[in-house]
Amino acid sequence: MTNPKEPEKTAQPSADSIAQSASKAAKKGPPPVHLWNPPFCGDLDMRIARDGTWFYLGTPIGRKPLVKLFSSIIRKDGDDYFLVTPVEKVGITVEDAPFVAIDFDVTDSGPDQTLTFTTQVDDEVVAGPDNPIRVERDPETGEPSPYILVRANLEALIDRKSFYRLVDLGVHVDVDGQSWFGVRSGGQFFPIIPSKDLD
């Protein structure tokens, strides 16, 4: 027999309930997720794969408008990722970065060059002081993983074809007395690899 004084368990949030809350919030403009402080409601069986595909309950989410809606309410607190609405906060799994930069446009050249990246959810990001490019190298293989900051400590992994195009635009610049190979955008130079490490 259950104890009548035991509190009733609240229903675990679902992707549908999160989407409904996010839709209401999004009607007033870009969701200010950094201002919301709802209670943590547990983890959702939702995962963003390294290639940017979103999965719910192990199945890819095929509706792009729904993925775009979810992507608008991602927040990273510490090393963990959450979907946040005004009324609930749920944990999700991100294999690498929550976004993937799938293309970019180039305007001007030399010191005036500007690179504008497009993500898999159609966000546009101009690389510059507020949205830096960084490259991590695997300590064992040396394989580069390039990223660009999209917003509020949320990054996009720059896909392979775009990274190859970036390398084609690369130049050598002295940084603190050391020559680096990298790219320019938005008045800033972003180092990719020390010049001496290039074959």
Side-chain angles (χ1 to χ4, degrees), residues 55-160:
F55 290 83
Y56 179 57
L57 300 175
T59 302
I61 300 174
R63 291 172 51 209
K64 188 168 183 178
L66 188 58
V67 170
K68 289 175 72 169
L69 180 64
F70 287 140
S71 74
S72 72
I73 57 166
I74 296 177
R75 194 167 84 197
K76 185 180 183 186
D77 296 340
D79 292 327
D80 299 317
Y81 291 91
F82 302 91
L83 297 184
V84 182
T85 76
V87 295
E88 55 205 343
K89 173 181 175 181
V90 295
I92 63 170
T93 300
V94 177
E95 288 185 358
D96 191 332
F99 301 100
V100 175
I102 57 173
D103 202 1
F104 68 89
D105 291 320
V106 186
T107 53
D108 299 322
S109 60
D112 298 323
Q113 179 171 277
T114 298
L115 308 175
T116 303
F117 289 81
T118 303
T119 72
Q120 88 278 25
V121 290
D122 301 330
D123 285 324
E124 290 196 347
V125 186
V126 178
D130 295 331
N131 300 92
I133 295 169
R134 70 178 183 93
V135 178
E136 273 191 18
R137 292 173 71 194
D138 186 297
E140 293 180 8
T141 65
E143 182 77 16
S145 292
Y147 301 88
I148 180 168
L149 184 67
V150 175
R151 62 174 186 269
N153 74 359
L154 298 173
E155 290 183 313
L157 175 67
I158 299 171
D159 73 2
R160 190 174 294 268

Side-chain angles (χ1 to χ4, degrees), residues 152-196:
N153 74 359
L154 298 173
E155 290 183 313
L157 175 67
I158 299 171
D159 73 2
R160 190 174 294 268
K161 71 179 187 314
S162 299
F163 185 57
Y164 287 152
R165 286 180 57 212
L166 277 184
V167 169
D168 287 341
L169 296 170
V171 293
H172 295 273
V173 170
D174 277 346
V175 179
D176 297 329
Q178 182 179 359
S179 180
W180 281 81
F181 178 79
V183 291
R184 299 182 190 275
S185 181
Q188 191 152 332
F189 175 74
F190 299 104
I192 293 175
I193 188 172
S195 300
K196 64 181 175 54

